[in-house]
Amino acid sequence: MRLVMANTAAYFGFQPVGLSTGAAPNFSLTQRRIASGNSTAIYRGDPVMPVVSSANGYITQGAAGTTRVDGIFWGCEYLSVSQKRIVRSIYWPGSDASGDVLAYVIDAPGSRFKVQANGSSMVVTGSTTAWTSGPVGQYAQFAIGTGSTSTGISGAYLSGVGTTVTYPFIVLDMVQDPPGQNGTDPTTNYNFLIVGFNNEILRSNGAGPTGIS
């Protein structure tokens, strides 16, 4: 008999769980940059996207849409104006840097992440249904949520799925173990799901990072 407990909201962003090869996550991080004047906080587990107006390759906190993602933010370091030293942090607070912020991003195309779905219905091919009705194989949209300044952890979550091939993620599996733990009940919303990159800077269908055709 399977122990079942209704899921509850406990958003934590996108947490790496492995690679498409089945290997464990190696936490290989790519260095990117955040402009010191970027006042938008970025939390560990947030999707990040390019600053379109920048010719310097800057990134910022991701926003829902069909703009490509550049990976998942995992931390940063910067010269602190207030502390007069290099600060290493799991989140960018949005101020206090002298010069560019060095960001660390997970962007390997085959990365897999655990993320929580929201508590409302999702949209599948124009109709509304529950998260419990087969999200696997669907393209997925996210919402950035509210990160925690206490822990530095993201509040991002999946907000819906559909057939739009330029959505940033694709659902690969539903988490159902260990039984009885939050997020593992496949019969209620707030499921924990496993997703991979879809519309991401290093993933291409032959026509650039525009999703899987």
Side-chain angles (χ1 to χ4, degrees):
M1 180 177 180
R2 184 178 179 86
L3 178 64
V4 175
M5 180 184 74
N7 304 319
T8 59
Y11 302 136
F12 48 81
F14 291 77
Q15 302 293 315
V17 296
L19 297 167
S20 59
T21 59
N26 59 16
F27 294 97
S28 177
L29 301 173
T30 298
Q31 294 183 354
R32 303 297 296 275
R33 294 193 178 273
I34 303 167
S36 61
N38 185 340
S39 61
T40 301
I42 309 175
Y43 299 87
R44 173 170 284 187
D46 275 353
V48 291
M49 66 183 188
V51 178
V52 178
S53 61
S54 169
N56 298 315
Y58 289 128
I59 59 170
T60 191
Q61 187 185 61
T66 57
T67 302
R68 76 167 199 239
V69 294
D70 277 20
I72 301 299
F73 182 84
W74 207 245
C76 63
E77 60 182 78
Y78 55 92
L79 176 58
S80 167
V81 174
S82 62
Q83 299 184 50
K84 306 297 189 293
R85 66 180 180 86
I86 298 294
V87 169
R88 294 176 174 83
S89 175
I90 68 170
Y91 86 110
W92 162 238
S95 64
D96 193 37
S98 175
D100 287 349
V101 177
L102 182 61
Y104 297 101
V105 174
I106 301 172
D107 63 2
S111 297
R112 299 293 184 255
F113 302 92
K114 181 170 73 172
V115 61
Q116 189 169 33
N118 68 5
S120 54
S121 297
M122 61 180 178
V123 176
V124 181
T125 320
S127 61
T128 301
T129 186
W131 278 107
T132 56
S133 300
V136 175
Q138 298 285 335
Y139 302 113
Q141 185 58 273
F142 71 95
I144 203 63
T146 303
S148 170
T149 57
S150 298
T151 65
I153 300 300
S154 169
Y157 56 90
L158 290 190
S159 59
V161 296
T163 58
T164 303
V165 297
T166 48
Y167 277 175
F169 298 97
I170 187 168
V171 179
L172 301 172
D173 200 3
M174 299 175 70
V175 177
Q176 299 186 49
D177 293 298
Q181 296 299 305
N182 188 38
T184 65
D185 176 10
T187 67
T188 62
N189 289 327
Y190 298 117
N191 316 63
F192 290 173
L193 303 173
I194 303 300
V195 301
F197 287 127
N198 182 43
N199 185 11
E200 188 255 350
I201 183 173
L202 297 179
R203 183 166 193 135
S204 173
N205 64 3
T210 56
I212 301 171
S213 60

